[in-house]
Amino acid sequence: MRNLIFIFVLLLTVQNSFAQKSQNIAYIDMEYILENVPEYITAQNNLNDKIKTWKEKLRKLERHIEVLKTDLANEKAILTKDLIEEREEDIVIKEEELARLESLYFGPNGDMFLLRKQLIKPIQDLVYNSVQSIAKRKRYDFVFDKSSELVMLYSNKKHDISELVLSTIVKDRKIQTSKKLASTKKTEAQKKLAAIREAKRKKKEDQKKAIQAKREAKKKERDAKRKLLLERKNKNKKS
């Protein structure tokens, strides 16, 4: 009912707008667009894998609880009151754990909601940003989503800009890839330049060390000769 009221109000708004001036209207098929964005498919598959793992864990715990209940029912006649209460307490604890995990995985702010937001929302934002850009460039007054709750009783294909949105996303992706590639090349060039400068600096440093070593070797050689001469002079004096 709320959707019907919303549609009725929206149609009245559009009709009044048409009465004032000519309107540019377009629509998209969000499901079609997302299904043709590789990043969305990857993100959705990753999310589905996680959901499958969580559901399997919950089913395993549910089966364990059923086994505990069945065993208790079959053995209740031969168990003491304390043992029955202990087993019933174990079942309650397991059921509370099951409820906690269900809320943790699939609650309003659970892991599924957070993971979907983390994986899929950036891609949806990419689509919305593309739609905004196209709408401003083409001067559309309204852009509807064909796959949303807003029911479209008729749609002329010429107003469908889904392919345009897809091509815009592809174009933006290529631009971003080119920028990243250029940035990577620039970084690599800077690294190579830094490596060349470091090699030159090291070469100069090695040359300085080699010259210093030669000087020290010559000094030692001179000192050794002087010492030898002094020893000979002293020897001659004694003779």
Side-chain angles (χ1 to χ4, degrees):
M1 177 64 71
R2 289 171 60 187
N3 285 341
L4 290 175
I5 293 173
F6 172 74
I7 294 170
F8 178 71
V9 172
L10 182 62
L11 289 175
L12 283 178
T13 303
V14 174
Q15 185 178 15
N16 290 335
S17 298
F18 266 110
Q20 297 175 11
K21 63 174 183 177
S22 177
Q23 302 289 316
N24 289 326
I25 296 178
Y27 70 89
I28 62 168
D29 187 338
M30 180 66 80
E31 290 180 2
Y32 170 75
I33 293 172
L34 293 177
E35 286 170 0
N36 285 276
V37 176
E39 293 91 339
Y40 178 81
I41 302 300
T42 301
Q44 189 64 55
N45 289 337
N46 291 336
L47 179 61
N48 290 340
D49 289 341
K50 277 289 186 181
I51 291 174
K52 185 179 178 181
T53 301
W54 293 332
K55 286 185 176 180
E56 181 57 34
K57 188 173 182 179
L58 293 175
R59 280 195 294 267
K60 186 176 180 180
L61 185 55
E62 285 175 346
R63 289 194 295 268
H64 180 61
I65 293 172
E66 289 302 318
V67 170
L68 291 177
K69 288 181 177 180
T70 302
D71 290 345
L72 177 59
N74 293 336
E75 300 172 11
K76 202 167 188 178
I78 61 173
L79 296 174
T80 63
K81 182 180 179 182
D82 289 341
L83 284 175
I84 292 173
E85 289 178 352
E86 184 179 330
R87 290 200 181 184
E88 286 176 342
E89 186 178 346
D90 287 341
I91 291 172
V92 170
I93 290 173
K94 294 294 182 184
E95 288 177 334
E96 288 176 350
E97 175 67 7
L98 177 62
R100 185 187 70 81
L101 288 176
E102 286 178 339
S103 177
L104 176 66
Y105 295 147
F106 303 109
N109 294 307
D111 291 347
M112 185 180 73
F113 171 80
L114 295 175
L115 189 60
R116 176 180 280 126
K117 185 177 180 180
Q118 177 186 347
L119 293 176
I120 297 176
K121 190 176 183 301
I123 302 166
Q124 291 177 328
D125 289 343
L126 180 66
V127 175
Y128 288 130
N129 290 337
S130 297
V131 170
Q132 292 288 328
S133 175
I134 293 168
K136 289 179 181 178
R137 189 170 72 251
K138 297 281 188 177
R139 295 184 178 180
Y140 290 121
D141 297 292
F142 299 96
V143 178
F144 300 104
D145 178 10
K146 184 180 180 181
S147 57
S148 70
E149 292 184 1
L150 177 60
V151 180
M152 298 186 71
L153 300 179
Y154 171 77
S155 61
N156 191 325
K157 191 66 179 175
K158 73 178 183 179
H159 299 304
D160 187 354
I161 60 170
S162 300
E163 291 294 343
L164 181 57
V165 172
L166 272 175
S167 63
T168 302
I169 292 173
V170 172
K171 183 180 178 181
D172 290 342
R173 189 190 296 121
K174 287 181 179 178
I175 293 173
Q176 293 299 323
T177 302
S178 297
K179 286 182 179 179
K180 287 181 180 179
L181 184 61
S183 177
T184 301
K185 287 181 177 179
K186 183 179 179 181
T187 303
E188 290 176 353
Q190 289 173 341
K191 286 181 179 178
K192 286 181 180 179
L193 182 60
I196 291 171
R197 287 174 177 171
E198 178 62 19
K200 287 181 178 179
R201 186 195 66 78
K202 194 172 183 304
K203 185 178 179 181
K204 287 182 179 180
E205 188 177 325
D206 290 343
Q207 288 174 345
K208 287 181 180 178
K209 287 180 179 179
I211 293 171
Q212 184 66 25
K214 285 181 181 180
R215 287 175 179 173
E216 290 178 357
K218 287 181 179 180
K219 185 176 181 298
K220 285 181 180 179
E221 187 179 351
R222 287 195 300 269
D223 290 343
K225 286 180 179 179
R226 287 196 190 102
K227 185 177 180 181
L228 183 60
L229 288 172
L230 286 171
E231 288 176 352
R232 285 178 181 177
K233 284 181 180 179
N234 291 332
K235 190 175 180 181
N236 290 334
K237 286 178 181 180
K238 289 179 181 180
S239 301

